[in-house]
Amino acid sequence: MPRVRVVALYRFAAIDDCVAVQARLSAACLSGVRGTLLIAPEGLNGTMAGPHEAIEILLDAIRDLPGFADLDVKESTAATMPFHRLKIRIKTEIVTMGRTDLDPVRNAGLYVSPADWNRLISDPDTIVIDTRNDYEGAIGAFAGAVQPNTRSFRDFPDWFEREGRALLDRPTPPKVAMYCTGGIRCEKATAFLRAEGVDQMHHLEGGILRYLETVPAADSLWQGECFVFDERVAIGHGLEPGSHTLCRGCRMPLGAADRASPRYVEGVCCDRCHATRTPEQRDGYAERQRQMEIAVKLGIDHVGAVLDRSEGLSRNP
């Protein structure tokens, strides 16, 4: 069976008519294409999956947009479709920081290629900052990186005011190297810090995904796995599937130790959320898990299907 083509993409470029772009790209998504694509005045951001040729048609449509000819794409494959639906949405930002006044097109930091990244972050005069969320950094990070432990990217400006600015308070201003999964959050974060008066800003070109794809494991300074926002959950070097799974109760990544907990119930809850879910909620999650298992046995897509509770039969509403 052919593997599913998965593309992660973003680009900061001015979009004057988001509604027109939404209609144009929706029309370019042929049958079998799923994922999420966000459109905002500052650009595009998304991860899409589908048959090879269908994805190529979508990428051609994006690159035909003004300012998107040089769109950079991170590619991987999956044994099964990692998304349940197709969503093309208009937002105020393609990555939400709550700062629509920033201009990453003109004011972002310097790109650093994966080949040069190790040299930069190994320099004692460089401060390395992970711009991802706390649960992402918990399962994998670059050695020695500062972990803001934010719950969302929107919290990053507050963290910088509380703690981050003090890290830069040195007689000689340090270089700052930022990274994230695909490059979008760290690129916007460098624009934010430059707006705050920080000059020596750098960010990992293509993000962790490009680094894991191109840097041999033997030379890597990456430790752990990289969380991804789809059904693969996490990946490792060579973009191979990782060992983490997803708690269906709280949507957090789970390692082997998490799954060994007596409070872990597949599809229902884990240590993090067991105490915060009512018995009624857990019963609902358990039924959802049962329905998903029936769907797998029948070889059908669980999303959008209504399964008979006694027979395990399906109809599509």
Side-chain angles (χ1 to χ4, degrees):
M1 179 180 296
R3 292 179 67 85
V4 177
R5 185 181 182 188
V6 183
V7 292
L9 59 94
Y10 81 90
R11 185 169 178 82
F12 288 105
I15 296 179
D16 296 326
D17 190 340
C18 292
V19 174
V21 170
Q22 181 187 42
R24 185 172 177 177
L25 298 185
S26 295
C29 290
L30 304 182
S31 177
V33 173
R34 297 181 186 176
T36 299
L37 191 61
L38 304 181
I39 305 167
E42 66 182 7
L44 293 174
N45 174 31
T47 304
M48 307 294 284
H52 186 278
E53 291 302 324
I55 292 295
E56 196 63 27
I57 289 171
L58 173 61
L59 293 178
D60 286 343
I62 295 174
R63 290 186 171 117
D64 282 343
L65 298 172
F68 288 87
D70 297 326
L71 177 74
D72 185 35
V73 177
K74 275 78 70 178
E75 296 216 21
S76 59
T77 62
T80 59
M81 170 57 72
F83 299 107
H84 294 309
R85 301 177 179 88
L86 172 64
K87 295 179 285 188
I88 302 180
R89 295 177 173 171
I90 296 174
K91 299 285 188 177
T92 56
E93 300 174 80
I94 56 173
V95 58
T96 304
M97 182 184 264
R99 291 287 302 268
T100 57
D101 58 317
L102 301 176
D103 187 359
V105 175
R106 295 180 177 86
N107 295 327
L110 299 174
Y111 280 125
V112 179
S113 70
D116 296 327
W117 182 251
N118 286 1
R119 185 183 307 110
L120 174 65
I121 68 172
S122 297
D123 184 340
D125 293 326
T126 298
I127 292 176
V128 185
I129 301 176
D130 189 337
T131 63
R132 301 172 303 153
N133 301 326
D134 51 3
Y135 56 90
E136 298 173 83
I139 71 169
F142 281 106
V146 174
Q147 295 294 331
N149 290 320
T150 51
R151 287 295 299 163
S152 76
F153 189 55
R154 186 185 287 274
D155 299 330
F156 187 85
D158 288 340
W159 169 82
F160 181 72
E161 289 302 321
R162 291 193 321 270
E163 304 176 38
R165 193 182 294 277
L167 297 174
L168 312 183
D169 187 13
R170 299 181 181 182
T172 301
K175 291 174 283 189
V176 178
M178 292 182 165
Y179 69 89
C180 63
T181 307
I184 185 171
R185 284 177 284 182
C186 56
E187 185 163 346
K188 192 161 187 176
T190 62
F192 166 69
L193 261 67
R194 289 194 69 182
E196 294 294 312
V198 182
D199 292 326
Q200 298 193 67
M201 296 302 312
H202 305 78
H203 54 107
L204 177 58
E205 186 173 14
I208 303 163
L209 296 180
R210 182 61 50 77
Y211 183 92
L212 294 178
E213 179 184 14
T214 60
V215 175
D219 301 328
S220 176
L221 296 181
W222 177 260
Q223 300 174 338
E225 295 178 353
C226 176
F227 181 83
V228 290
F229 294 89
D230 58 55
E231 290 299 310
R232 294 173 297 173
V233 184
I235 58 175
H237 285 92
L239 305 184
E240 291 296 320
S243 61
H244 285 77
T245 57
L246 202 66
C247 174
R248 300 294 172 178
C250 62
R251 308 295 296 175
M252 291 292 104
L254 304 174
D258 299 310
R259 295 191 294 270
S261 167
R263 292 189 179 89
Y264 169 67
V265 180
E266 185 177 2
V268 179
C269 59
C270 68
D271 261 341
R272 292 185 184 92
C273 65
H274 182 273
T276 63
R277 300 298 187 264
T278 66
E280 292 76 17
Q281 285 176 314
R282 289 199 291 270
D283 286 345
Y285 298 158
E287 175 59 24
R288 178 185 59 191
Q289 179 65 19
R290 194 181 79 85
Q291 296 284 317
M292 291 176 66
E293 291 172 356
I294 292 172
V296 169
K297 290 179 181 178
L298 294 175
I300 62 175
D301 191 342
H302 172 257
V303 176
V306 178
L307 304 179
D308 185 283
R309 294 190 176 208
S310 59
E311 299 293 337
L313 301 178
S314 166
R315 69 180 190 276
N316 289 317

